[in-house]
Amino acid sequence: MNYNWNWHIFFEPNPTGAGTYLDMLVSGLLLTIKTALLAWVIALIFGTIIGILRSLPSKTASWIGFAYVEFFRNMPLLVQLFLWFFVLPELLPRAAGLWMKQLPNAPFWTAAIGVGLFMSARVAVQLAAGIASLPRGQKQAATALGLTTGQGYRYVLLPIAFRIILPPLTSEFLNTIKNTSVAITIGLIELTGQARAMQEFSFQVFEAFTAATVMYLAINIVVVTGMRFLERSLAIPGYIAGK
Amino acid sequence: MIEISHVNKWYGPTFQVLKDCTTSVAKGEVVVVCGPSGSGKSTLIKCVNALEPFQEGQIILDGIKVNDPKTDLPKLRARVGMVFQHFELFPHLRIIENLCLAQEKVLGRSHDEAVAKGNKLLERVGLTVHANKYPAELSGGQQQRVAIARALAMDPIAMLFDEPTSALDPEMISEVLDVMVDLAHEGMTMMVVTHEMGFASKVAHRVIFMDKGEIVEDALKTDFFGSPRSERAQKFLSKILSH
């Protein structure tokens, strides 16, 4: 292979004139983190609401939950981002569509919300499974004590269900981070986008993507470690994951 | 105190679990409900605090109609203690927190007040030293005593027991029954689903025998054990008393 390795490329000035190639990648990394965090918050909030709906005895509630989950999990993420970014503004009334298109940082908001909603369907399914795995008597005991349905969820069912699903939730958090790279297609210059830009300007494709890989790995290690600590601090003595 | 009249309940369109059940429990009375498994005794007791809905008939609890859509069920349930077969302590809460949750969230007691009450009841069931443990760190008998204390913390006007000892090892049964006997002697109104005929003959005023969803026999304790009228009750008694 006739390839000219150059690991010093990271310290050479980038063509935008603002800093080095490394600075470029770091700014992409920060944008990836920002997008992923917002997406994860959205995924948790909507996933929790829909997960609860799916676990309620009401037929209407579980139908809404079912429709939501199937809508968001059965379409490729890429298609969903295109829908939100290119199609939605055209479907809205002219003024609203124009406002959306002219929104500053539109790719960022679209990516965070789009990835967030896509992931929320997965969080919802896991939470519903977590709640379903609890003995039926737990809900009955909460009800028999006079707690309302809302209080039963808030103080009894959700605290246990979330502990049970923490390990798969860690995977979903990691998926959220990695899925933000799809946003490159709607013009969000996050970590993958910056690596590609670096490759185009410098022709050092291997160095650029090696650095991006290491950075993705680094964030994910932080997340995995953080979630481990969370799992440990929430462990219940004698119960799941507790010793 | 508890008036059950002509209650019919179906699971699905055809399977009838309760057939025209009528009985009552007076203030301070201890009524034992027994019968073979699948006879509907647990279902009946869960209808009393509306954990299970029923289609026909009515249940009146301390003057309030349970199956009236206008009844504030959480408020009504808070006034009736219930103890379950599998204890159903909340695994993520310490023992004292299990006793305080509903006192604070349902009755609106202050935290200090709830803790004081909780500690008093723990002392009564002999578990003061375990106040800061989690449920999974206690034996089954201890957990069930905590569950009784948790129900008593709400100052109930009546207590419902749904097979409180059938998930326990023989040597733990007596520690739970002792607490229940004390309660009965203090004049607590109790409806107890159990196979513990020793308990029944010691403290019950009346015994109800159910089979296939029907109340087959509803008699004073002495009559029931002395000369059960129905053949089914005779058979049942001879089976469970033969060992």
Side-chain angles (χ1 to χ4, degrees), chain A residues 138 140 143-144 146 151 155 236, chain B residues 46 77 88-89 91-92 105:
Chain A
Q138 287 284 304
Q140 288 190 340
T143 309
Q151 287 175 323
Y155 299 112
I236 305 162
Chain B
K46 281 178 180 168
R77 289 183 183 120
E88 306 302 349
L89 297 179
H92 62 300
K105 306 300 174 194

Side-chain angles (χ1 to χ4, degrees), chain B residues 39-74:
Chain B
S39 59
K41 50 198 193 307
S42 286
T43 309
L44 181 67
I45 203 173
K46 281 178 180 168
C47 285
V48 172
N49 61 351
L51 282 187
E52 291 275 0
F54 51 92
Q55 287 81 14
E56 285 174 13
Q58 70 170 9
I59 295 180
I60 292 175
L61 189 61
D62 196 32
I64 298 163
K65 197 173 159 193
V66 172
N67 53 323
D68 184 339
K70 288 194 287 284
T71 300
D72 182 351
L73 282 178

Side-chain angles (χ1 to χ4, degrees), chain B residues 110-140:
Chain B
S110 73
H111 182 65
D112 292 345
E113 211 179 336
V115 170
K117 176 100 190 172
N119 279 326
K120 218 168 83 189
L121 285 161
L122 278 184
E123 195 186 324
R124 173 181 174 156
V125 297
L127 294 170
T128 306
V129 290
H130 300 297
N132 286 311
K133 288 191 182 166
Y134 287 90
E137 296 174 293
L138 267 55
S139 72

Side-chain angles (χ1 to χ4, degrees), chain A residues 179-206:
Chain A
N179 279 342
T180 56
S181 64
V182 176
I184 190 180
T185 56
I186 56 168
L188 186 73
I189 313 299
E190 37 64 75
L191 183 51
T192 305
Q194 293 288 17
R196 223 178 65 148
M198 174 173 168
Q199 169 231 315
E200 278 167 5
F201 291 126
S202 68
F203 304 108
Q204 303 300 135
V205 55
F206 290 111

Side-chain angles (χ1 to χ4, degrees), chain B residues 76-185:
Chain B
L76 185 68
R77 289 183 183 120
R79 302 175 61 209
V80 191
M82 182 150 207
V83 176
F84 296 85
Q85 182 176 4
H86 296 287
F87 335 131
E88 306 302 349
L89 297 179
F90 305 135
H92 62 300
L93 298 179
R94 294 173 192 276
I95 298 305
I96 188 70
E97 292 168 338
N98 261 280
L99 270 70
C100 290
L101 179 68
Q103 288 192 68
E104 291 173 34
K105 306 300 174 194
V106 178
L107 301 181
R109 288 181 185 154
S110 73
H111 182 65
D112 292 345
E113 211 179 336
V115 170
K117 176 100 190 172
N119 279 326
K120 218 168 83 189
L121 285 161
L122 278 184
E123 195 186 324
R124 173 181 174 156
V125 297
L127 294 170
T128 306
V129 290
H130 300 297
N132 286 311
K133 288 191 182 166
Y134 287 90
E137 296 174 293
L138 267 55
S139 72
Q142 291 171 329
Q143 289 192 49
Q144 194 61 299
R145 279 144 68 198
V146 173
I148 294 173
R150 178 175 72 177
L152 291 176
M154 306 294 283
D155 292 322
I157 53 169
M159 288 283 287
L160 308 172
F161 292 84
D162 183 16
E163 305 206 28
T165 55
S166 30
L168 293 174
D169 289 339
E171 71 260 38
M172 292 176 186
I173 290 177
S174 66
E175 67 185 54
V176 171
L177 289 179
D178 285 346
V179 173
M180 292 169 62
V181 168
D182 284 348
L183 258 184
H185 286 153

